[in-house]
C-alpha cells in the first residue's frame, strides 16, 4: 500500500483536527486526519487515499485519527465473491419496481426535503437534522472527484422519490458516500437495496470493490455493514477478511 510520504501522497499535506465529540460511540472523543489541498486530489490520488482508509465529506478528504480509539475500520465488499443472503434477496424483490436514474450533482428541493425527513427520523439530535440548504449542499453536492447522484423512484421516472445516493467512481471500485431514504415507508429495506444496487453496478463496470465507509462493531448505525460478505477491513495497514465470528483474518 502507498505510504503517506510516497507519490502521489507526497504532493499533499496532512493535518489533524482538534478533538470533537464522537458521533457514533457515547462518551468518546474523536479526531480526524485531513488531506489538503483538495484541488490536488484527482481521480487516481483519491483512489489511493480511499485504499488507505480515507473518505470524503464534500471537498474534505479525511480518515479517523483518534488518540485512544481504533473502532472505525474502513471496509469494502469483494464484489465478485458476493452472494446475497435471504433477507437481501427479499429486499431485492420488495423494491424491484423502483426506477433508478443517475442525475447531475445539483441541488433539488425535493432531495433536500427527503434528506430533512430522513435525518429527523433516523438521526434526530445529531446536528445533521438541522442542516440548512447550504450545509446540505456542502456535504453532498460539492466534490473534487468523479461523483454521481442516484435517484430511486416508485414505479416511474416521475413517481414518488424514495431514496437518493451519492457515489464516487474510483479506479478499483465505487465508494458509497451517503444514502438517505423515505423513513416512513413501512416494511422497506431501502438501505439494503441501495447497497445491493451499488454492488451490481460494480459488477457491471468490472470493478472489484464497493467501499462502504467505516464499520464500527459497537455502533448500531454502522455495524450493519458486516451483513454484506465477503467484507474486507483495513486493519494494521493491510486489507483483511472479516470471518464469521467478526474477527479479522
Amino acid at each position: 500500500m502507498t505510504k503517506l510520504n510516497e507519490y502521489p501522497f507526497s504532493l499533499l499535506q496532512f493535518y489533524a483536527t482538534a478533538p470533537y465529540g464522537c458521533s457514533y460511540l457515547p462518551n468518546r472523543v474523536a479526531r480526524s486526519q485531513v488531506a489538503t489541498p483538495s484541488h490536488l486530489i484527482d481521480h487516481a490520488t483519491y483512489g489511493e487515499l480511499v485504499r488507505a482508509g480515507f473518505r470524503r465529506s464534500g471537498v474534505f478528504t479525511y480518515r479517523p485519527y483518534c488518540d485512544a480509539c481504533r473502532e472505525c475500520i474502513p471496509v469494502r465488499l469483494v464484489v465478485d465473491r458476493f452472494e446475497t443472503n435471504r433477507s437481501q434477496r427479499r429486499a431485492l424483490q420488495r423494491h424491484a419496481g423502483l426506477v433508478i436514474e443517475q442525475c447531475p450533482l445539483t441541488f433539488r428541493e425535493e432531495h433536500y426535503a427527503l434528506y430533512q425527513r430522513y435525518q429527523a427520523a433516523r438521526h434526530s439530535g445529531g446536528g445533521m437534522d438541522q442542516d440548512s440548504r447550504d450545509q446540505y449542499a456542502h456535504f453532498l453536492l460539492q466534490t473534487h472527484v468523479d461523483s454521481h447522484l442516484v435517484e430511486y423512484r416508485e414505479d416511474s421516472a416521475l413517481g414518488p422519490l424514495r431514496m437518493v445516493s451519492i457515489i464516487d467512481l474510483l479506479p478499483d471500485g465505487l465508494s458509497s458516500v451517503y444514502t438517505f431514504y423515505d423513513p416512513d415507508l413501512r416494511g422497506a429495506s431501502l438501505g439494503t437495496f441501495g447497497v445491493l444496487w451499488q454492488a451490481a453496478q460494480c459488477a457491471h463496470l468490472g470493478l472489484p470493490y464497493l467501499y462502504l465507509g467505516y464499520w464500527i462493531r459497537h455502533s448500531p448505525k454502522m455495524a450493519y455493514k458486516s451483513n454484506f460478505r465477503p467484507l474486507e477491513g483495513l486493519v494494521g495497514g493491510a486489507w483483511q477478511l472479516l470471518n464469521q465470528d467478526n474477527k479479522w483474518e
Side-chain angles (χ1 to χ4, degrees), residues 40-179:
L40 292 182
I41 302 176
D42 57 13
H43 177 72
T45 303
Y46 183 60
E48 291 286 346
L49 285 166
V50 172
R51 282 191 288 277
F54 284 79
R55 299 277 291 164
R56 72 171 184 88
S57 176
V59 297
F60 295 99
T61 304
Y62 71 95
R63 68 179 176 183
Y65 198 67
C66 304
D67 297 319
C69 179
R70 297 294 182 270
E71 291 290 329
C72 293
I73 306 296
V75 291
R76 65 189 186 186
L77 177 66
V78 183
V79 172
D80 65 355
R81 294 168 53 197
F82 173 55
E83 294 184 4
T84 55
N85 59 32
R86 182 178 300 176
S87 65
Q88 291 162 358
R89 290 191 290 273
R90 285 199 298 264
L92 287 171
Q93 293 173 353
R94 184 177 296 122
H95 300 298
L98 289 177
V99 175
I100 304 165
E101 182 177 1
Q102 296 195 41
C103 306
L105 206 67
T106 56
F107 180 87
R108 294 183 62 176
E109 193 67 36
E110 183 184 23
H111 297 167
Y112 176 62
L114 181 62
Y115 174 83
Q116 285 189 306
R117 289 174 51 215
Y118 171 80
Q119 294 296 344
R122 299 301 175 111
H123 302 289
S124 178
M128 294 173 68
D129 53 331
Q130 302 296 323
D131 278 0
S132 67
R133 288 169 175 81
D134 284 344
Q135 289 171 314
Y136 163 82
H138 278 91
F139 173 38
L140 293 179
L141 304 181
Q142 290 194 359
T143 182
H144 48 65
V145 294
D146 189 0
S147 304
H148 301 264
L149 185 151
V150 185
E151 285 186 345
Y152 304 75
R153 293 183 179 274
E154 199 75 53
D155 299 327
S156 74
L158 299 177
L161 180 66
R162 296 304 189 195
M163 182 163 61
V164 173
S165 294
I166 309 296
I167 56 177
D168 291 338
L169 178 63
L170 308 176
D172 68 343
L174 294 177
S175 175
S176 183
V177 177
Y178 200 76
T179 292

Side-chain angles (χ1 to χ4, degrees), residues 14-30:
F14 298 87
Y15 70 89
T17 66
Y20 56 88
C22 179
S23 301
Y24 299 106
L25 297 174
N27 305 315
R28 300 286 183 99
V29 175

Side-chain angles (χ1 to χ4, degrees), residues 76-84 172-174 195-196 198-211 228-232 241:
R76 65 189 186 186
L77 177 66
V78 183
V79 172
D80 65 355
R81 294 168 53 197
F82 173 55
E83 294 184 4
T84 55
D172 68 343
L174 294 177
V195 173
L196 296 174
Q198 291 173 29
Q201 281 296 106
C202 286
H204 174 71
L205 296 171
L207 299 171
Y209 301 114
L210 174 60
Y211 290 86
F228 299 89
R229 305 290 183 119
L231 193 70
E232 291 183 342
L241 192 66

